[in-house]
Amino acid sequence: MVALPLRALTLRQLQCFSVLVEEGHFGRAARRLAITQPALSNAIKQMEKLLGAELLTRSTHRLELTPVGAEVLARTDFLVHTFEVALRDIESTVQRGQAYVRVGVIPSASARVAAAAADFLQQRGEVELAWRDAPSTVLLAELRSGQLDMAVAAITEPPGGLECIDLFRDPLVLVVRRDHALAAAGEARWEAIGSERLVLFESGSMPALGDPARAQFAQGAQPYRVSYSETLYALVRSGQALGLMPQLYTSSLRDPELAVVPLSAPRIERRVVLAYLPGPMRNVAAQELIGFLRERLPQA
């Protein structure tokens, strides 16, 4: 049973706390919430009084969460996001007669997921999908906070607090110039990289997968680290590096100057999973889409 004082907490107070932490400034948060600064300050004080704990430490220049405040914020954000999505659900249902489902996807898997989702919409109908593309770490964080219903993400270890369905494995490959000696080999061992410089993504699963393998097998200079595949391909095309990336990224590569070379000994893979929060789904359409993607994506 929830303590009686906590039952007096209002959604508006939770929204005030969430927005204030996000903005980090009373003035900006008050403007965004369309209230005065004294009203915002009072809402936070009332929330702290009901909880019996300090949520924020205030100084002249910044606000900082207390340890209790950080724990409360995670749950507050989940409630606030869930409420906002519920309003979108109601709006979508009333105005357009459609369910509303939020899907997150890593960019490298977007073609597969979009194609499968199109088939789902053709069969199911009456569903509005909202799309979010971002690195896996971002998608999983937004899933936990209630901003997404599901996410197709790449992982190297099980993410805490989420249900995961294994879809397929995505091995690391080399991208080389067509005139490079490795292009003719058809497959390369890690030792074949030798002293050549690599270029790889600086975020996502690559630091966890690529860095240990490079350190163990390759002897070249520290790799270039980039954010986008276009930059990676440009560095390979200019002869400055060999590209190291998940194979899924290369599915749309149509460049006569570049070749994709599978890496073996060892074969290093990332797990691509369909993740969602445990417990009851927010709506039936989200449940049905998870079941559809579970069956369709491993076959793609």
Side-chain angles (χ1 to χ4, degrees), residues 19 36 47 61 73 90 111 135 150 158 166 175 177 185 202 204 222 226 248 261 266 272 278 282 291:
V19 171
T36 64
M47 190 173 171
H61 301 291
L73 178 66
I90 294 169
M150 66 196 74
D166 274 290
V175 179
R177 282 170 56 114
E202 63 184 350
Q222 282 295 314
V226 299
L248 202 55
V261 180
V272 179
R282 189 175 50 80

Side-chain angles (χ1 to χ4, degrees), residues 7-152:
R7 290 184 177 275
L9 278 172
T10 67
L11 177 62
R12 187 58 171 169
Q13 288 170 334
L14 298 177
Q15 288 173 323
C16 287
F17 179 52
S18 180
V19 171
L20 177 58
V21 174
E22 188 174 328
E23 294 292 343
H25 186 273
F26 272 92
R28 290 193 298 270
R31 286 192 294 273
R32 181 171 155 188
L33 291 161
I35 59 176
T36 64
Q37 286 192 51
L40 174 58
S41 180
N42 184 61
I44 301 301
K45 288 178 181 177
Q46 287 295 319
M47 190 173 171
E48 289 178 324
K49 182 178 179 181
L50 291 169
L51 291 169
E54 189 179 44
L55 302 175
L56 297 161
T57 56
R58 303 157 177 85
S59 67
T60 306
H61 301 291
R62 63 179 180 175
L63 298 170
E64 289 187 358
L65 285 167
T66 64
V68 171
E71 293 293 328
V72 172
L73 178 66
R75 292 150 180 82
T76 296
D77 282 348
F78 180 81
L79 289 171
V80 170
H81 292 144
T82 300
F83 175 74
E84 291 174 353
V85 170
L87 292 181
R88 285 288 302 272
D89 269 343
I90 294 169
E91 178 187 42
S92 184
T93 301
V94 171
Q95 295 185 1
R96 293 180 289 277
Q98 295 179 319
Y100 177 62
V101 180
R102 304 154 304 158
V103 182
V105 59
I106 49 175
S108 57
S110 58
R112 286 194 188 192
V113 178
D119 290 341
F120 173 79
L121 291 174
Q122 190 172 20
Q123 294 179 24
R124 170 67 158 76
E126 299 182 351
V127 178
E128 178 185 357
L129 298 182
W131 292 93
R132 165 72 161 141
D133 60 334
S136 296
T137 50
V138 174
L139 295 178
L140 296 178
E142 292 183 356
L143 190 58
R144 291 188 184 95
S145 68
Q147 294 171 265
L148 296 172
D149 292 307
M150 66 196 74
V152 176

Side-chain angles (χ1 to χ4, degrees), residues 222-263:
Q222 282 295 314
Y224 295 121
R225 300 180 186 277
V226 299
S227 297
Y228 302 102
S229 56
E230 291 85 351
T231 309
L232 185 147
Y233 294 147
L235 290 172
V236 175
R237 200 179 294 115
S238 67
Q240 298 183 57
L242 306 182
L244 178 64
M245 65 196 312
Q247 186 178 45
L248 202 55
Y249 276 92
T250 67
S251 60
S252 59
L253 179 60
R254 304 289 184 271
D255 191 322
E257 295 184 58
L258 301 178
V260 178
V261 180
L263 274 167

Side-chain angles (χ1 to χ4, degrees), residues 200-201 205-216 222-223 225 244:
L200 49 92
F201 295 130
S205 57
M206 282 308 299
L209 290 175
D211 284 346
R214 188 203 66 82
Q216 183 176 356
Q222 282 295 314
R225 300 180 186 277
L244 178 64

